[in-house]
Structures are given as structure tokens and as C-alpha cells.
Amino acid sequence: HWLRSFLIAMHERRYLKKFDLIHVQTRKEKQKTVALFGDNAFARRVIDSPNGVKTFLYQCYYDGIDEKAILFMTHLDGERKYESRWFITRVWPLIKAKTDAELWLVGTPPVKRISYIKNDERIKVLGYVPDLVATFNTVRLSVVPIFFFFCLINRIQDSLAAGVPCVASELSASTFPDAEPGKHLLTASTAQSFADAVIHLYNDRNLRLRLSENGKRYAQGQPTWEETALRLSDQMEQILKTKNRVVALERE
């Protein structure tokens, strides 16, 4: 993978040069894109604007503050199955031993029974849920054990918008540069620290309330889909106007 990254970077530079405007979701992605060219002037062609927040999740009122459910939106099959296996086999046993929590798995269901899930009565495999508002309203907290730091991690943003306190990996939380650990969410980097953070949050009602309020307030300051689309549209119109002026001058 390391050797192949140089070949990928070479092709990326070549095709990105062909575009007048490049959209990425986060400041970190913009910095990486500009660094790929080694030319700060290229920053003019890169716009960072996150995915729009799901504003319908503002309807959530954190009714599940004292319920037992921990929400884990994940995939039990496909490429993302490794993050769920890591959490279920290494983190969940530590949480289960010290709380009365249930783990709700929401997302792509498994094609066949999974050995490390089938004998645990406190793990609920829900698959796809029809109503996200109802789901967020019935959980105590959420977990996002994702160990990459590119793009914007929508699962964190959804929890913040719903006002459900969240424990996330430090890497995934870093995609929200203005979100503060301990104020908007909790973060961890190892199985033990992740379990400790979840147990602490599960048992501390005042902390859950504080993260819920601060998290929702943070999410409400994020752009909507309409605002992001309008920003991109304005940039594209400016590019077209500039190109049209150049063409007109050349004809003269």
C-alpha cells in the first residue's frame, strides 16, 4: 500500500490539474490536496465545505437519556466489518462487564450468523431502521470507532445533531476541527480507553446532558445541504464569469 501510494499520487496530480474547482469536505483534506501539488497557489482551486447536517435530527430531544441502549451504526459485512469486529470483540466485553448496557447495531446486516455476536443476548442486530429520529430518541449514547481521518464522519455529525452524546476515535473526531473533546464529545484511541470513556459516559448523567446540549449547539452551527450547494454554485459561477471575460478579451 505504501509503495502504491506514490503511483496514486502521481495520477491524482495529473487529473486534478484538469479541473477549475475541487470540492473536499474538510480543511485537513484541502491542506492535503494543496500539499500534493506543493504549490500554495493551488489553494484557490480547492473549496472545503462539509456535507450538510441532517436538520431533521434536530427533532430529537434525547428522550433515551436513561435507557440502556448504546447505538453503534456500522456494517457487519463488507469492507467496514473490521471496525465492528474490533469494537465487539475487544471493547464491548469491557463495557458489558461493568454496565447493564445493550449494544444496538444499526446498518448493513450480516449475510450469515457471526460467531462473536450470536451468543450475546445484550447485542441487538437491528439492521436498517426506518426512522432515525425514533432510533436516536431511544438510545443513551452512541459510539463511532472509526480509525481514519479523511472526509467528514457523518455518524459523528448525526449524533451531534440528534443531541446524543458520543464516544469516537480520536482520528474520526479530528475531522471536526472545532469540536472539543470533553465539551462536544468524548474521544479515545485504544480498546481500553474507548471502553473507559463509554463506561464513564454511561454512568455520568450530568456529563451526558452537557455533551448532548453542547453537541447539538455545535451541529446547529454547521452548514445545511442547501448552504453547501449554494457556496459551490457561487464558486462555479465566478469561474464561468472569469472564463467568459477571458474569451471576450481574446476575441477582441
Side-chain angles (χ1 to χ4, degrees):
H1 287 150
W2 179 76
L3 289 172
R4 192 168 57 184
S5 68
F6 293 98
L7 180 63
I8 292 172
M10 181 183 69
H11 286 290
E12 282 183 327
R13 280 194 294 270
R14 189 168 63 192
Y15 69 69
L16 287 176
K17 284 181 179 179
K18 299 179 183 294
F19 295 93
D20 297 298
L21 182 65
I22 299 162
H23 171 226
V24 294
Q25 291 191 64
T26 65
R27 275 178 262 170
K28 185 174 292 187
E29 286 178 294
K30 179 173 181 176
Q31 291 167 356
K32 289 179 69 175
T33 304
V34 174
L36 182 67
F37 282 87
D39 181 3
N40 288 331
F42 192 76
R44 294 193 301 268
R45 293 159 63 180
V46 184
I47 181 171
D48 58 300
S49 192
N51 282 346
V53 65
K54 298 183 179 74
T55 55
F56 67 85
L57 290 176
Y58 296 159
Q59 301 171 38
C60 298
Y61 295 101
Y62 195 28
D63 296 333
I65 183 171
D66 295 315
E67 298 296 332
K68 295 181 179 181
I70 295 175
L71 176 64
F72 182 13
M73 303 188 77
T74 187
H75 302 283
L76 293 172
D77 275 310
E79 293 182 3
R80 294 286 181 82
K81 66 183 179 182
Y82 300 106
E83 68 190 35
S84 59
R85 184 171 65 186
W86 177 85
F87 184 86
I88 294 167
T89 60
R90 298 187 58 190
V91 183
W92 171 243
L94 303 175
I95 299 168
K96 183 181 177 182
K98 294 189 176 182
T99 70
D100 60 352
E102 295 179 351
L103 183 63
W104 287 10
L105 304 177
V106 172
T108 307
V111 174
K112 57 184 179 180
R113 289 179 67 83
I114 298 175
S115 60
Y116 52 82
I117 293 178
K118 67 180 181 181
N119 296 321
D120 192 332
E121 294 180 354
R122 285 164 61 181
I123 295 180
K124 313 296 182 184
V125 181
L126 304 184
Y128 297 114
V129 294
D131 189 336
L132 278 179
V133 171
T135 301
F136 275 112
N137 266 337
T138 50
V139 299
R140 192 176 188 126
L141 59 97
S142 72
V143 292
V144 186
I146 299 175
F147 292 94
F148 58 82
F149 56 93
F150 49 87
C151 300
L152 188 84
I153 308 303
N154 292 322
R155 281 178 270 182
I156 295 178
Q157 182 166 263
D158 291 349
S159 286
L160 295 172
V164 171
C166 174
V167 180
S169 67
E170 291 179 359
L171 285 175
S172 62
S174 71
T175 64
F176 296 83
D178 299 320
E180 299 178 28
K183 180 179 180 180
H184 301 107
L185 75 171
L186 298 185
T187 61
S189 57
T190 66
Q192 185 65 59
S193 64
F194 213 108
D196 290 344
V198 171
I199 293 166
H200 176 51
L201 184 58
Y202 190 87
N203 291 326
D204 192 332
R205 194 177 197 273
N206 289 332
L207 178 59
R208 296 200 301 277
L209 277 173
R210 187 163 68 250
L211 292 182
S212 172
E213 293 169 359
N214 291 340
K216 177 163 282 192
R217 194 175 299 117
Y218 174 90
Q220 289 170 339
Q222 298 302 297
T224 64
W225 282 101
E226 290 78 11
E227 289 168 338
T228 289
L230 182 60
R231 186 180 177 197
L232 293 173
S233 176
D234 287 344
Q235 288 289 323
M236 287 187 280
E237 287 181 2
Q238 289 300 319
I239 290 169
L240 289 173
K241 288 178 181 177
T242 300
K243 284 185 172 292
N244 286 339
R245 285 197 295 269
V246 170
V247 170
L249 288 172
E250 289 176 346
R251 288 176 178 174
E252 291 178 0

